[in-house]
Amino acid sequence: MRIVVFISGRGSNLRALLEHQENYTICHVISNRHQAAGLSIAQEYRVPTTVISWHDGAKAEAQALTLLNDIKPDLIVLAGFMRVLSADFVTKFSHKIINIHPSLLPLYPGLNTHQRALNDQQIKHGATVHFVDQNLDQGHRISQCHIRIGPEDTAETLAARLLSKEHKLLTTTVDKIATGQIYWQDKHLYYNNQVITQPLVWPEI
Ligand code: GAR
């Protein structure tokens, strides 16, 4: 399976994906920012990169589309990509774009997820891998991981604790898509040939 990863910044999820390329290949990385640290991670792994300025979303998407039409990836992974893709763009890749989001969706779509969980005095928090559709962070959920929120937690401690779990969640989910254990068919999510109605949760993550 050939995968294109979109990033905007640090790239720690990208690094995790690059470290686990047994059943898939990261063949290109697209960033909307020149300064994204993740670009040097891609270069470390000799993966081609393209920076596309996203000031004009329509123009950016047209550029991305030209590139993707050329690369023809099987899957697009948004790994810390902080731009919203248009409905027109995502429908061209229906159930071929996944995103990792730092909350237990449907809770806290959008930004500042850790602080919002704390403000609501939640006792648990987590991350979700989901298909990307035309509604922000609302596409069909594939998998989730959980962490407990303790009395001492701040947005920073939550973000840090969650991040290492995110890496495992994303790499496990992508690997299972690559090996055909997770797939989308006839409007349903399948795991090991069974329809799944709730996000997958693995006890070890
Ligand atoms: C991750 O925590 C990811 O879940 C989040 O950005 C961070 C990127 O870190 N994504 C979003 O908030 C998307 N809405 P990374 O660049 O080190 O992978």
Side-chain angles (χ1 to χ4, degrees):
M1 171 168 272
R2 296 168 65 257
I3 298 176
V4 170
V5 181
F6 281 44
I7 60 165
S8 294
R10 180 177 51 187
S12 71
N13 277 289
L14 168 65
R15 184 184 287 286
L17 287 169
L18 287 163
E19 281 169 357
H20 289 85
Q21 296 182 89
E22 281 125 50
N23 297 310
Y24 58 84
T25 307
I26 309 292
C27 56
H28 208 100
V29 171
I30 294 177
S31 170
N32 65 306
R33 293 176 60 240
H34 277 287
Q35 317 90 302
L39 287 169
S40 12
I41 300 174
Q43 281 146 17
E44 235 179 80
Y45 281 80
R46 309 204 187 293
V47 175
T49 59
T50 301
V51 176
I52 299 177
S53 157
W54 231 268
H55 291 301
D56 177 339
K59 213 166 133 191
E61 287 185 357
Q63 248 180 288
L65 200 56
T66 305
L67 192 60
L68 292 167
N69 283 341
D70 194 32
I71 300 170
K72 295 187 177 55
D74 303 294
L75 185 71
I76 296 167
V77 178
L78 309 186
F81 182 66
M82 305 307 277
R83 287 290 173 274
V84 178
L85 296 168
S86 71
D88 199 34
F89 187 89
V90 298
T91 48
K92 288 193 170 74
F93 300 96
S94 176
H95 298 97
K96 287 198 166 194
I97 311 179
I98 65 170
N99 177 46
I100 180 144
H101 182 76
S103 80
L104 292 173
L105 291 172
L107 291 176
Y108 315 125
L111 299 175
N112 301 321
T113 56
H114 313 301
Q115 191 57 54
R116 285 156 70 201
L118 287 170
N119 294 350
D120 287 348
Q121 302 184 324
Q122 298 283 0
I123 55 167
K124 63 177 193 178
H125 187 44
T128 306
V129 175
H130 64 96
F131 287 115
V132 174
D133 69 8
Q134 61 276 24
N135 302 310
L136 180 68
D137 297 330
Q138 285 174 51
H140 195 98
R141 294 169 302 157
I142 303 170
S143 57
Q144 286 184 325
C145 63
H146 300 80
I147 57 170
R148 293 236 144 250
I149 301 183
E152 309 296 317
D153 269 317
T154 62
E156 289 71 32
T157 61
L158 284 183
R161 255 197 1 269
L162 189 58
L163 192 64
S164 61
K165 291 218 176 210
E166 283 190 36
H167 298 159
K168 290 188 194 123
L169 184 72
L170 185 61
T171 53
T172 302
T173 305
V174 168
D175 192 75
K176 288 182 189 296
I177 293 173
T179 55
Q181 289 174 83
I182 294 176
Y183 59 94
W184 181 263
Q185 192 176 284
D186 301 332
K187 300 190 177 158
H188 293 292
L189 181 69
Y190 284 80
Y191 181 51
N192 292 336
N193 299 323
Q194 309 260 21
V195 173
I196 298 299
T197 55
Q198 291 299 315
L200 293 159
V201 175
W202 293 287
E204 66 277 16
I205 302 177

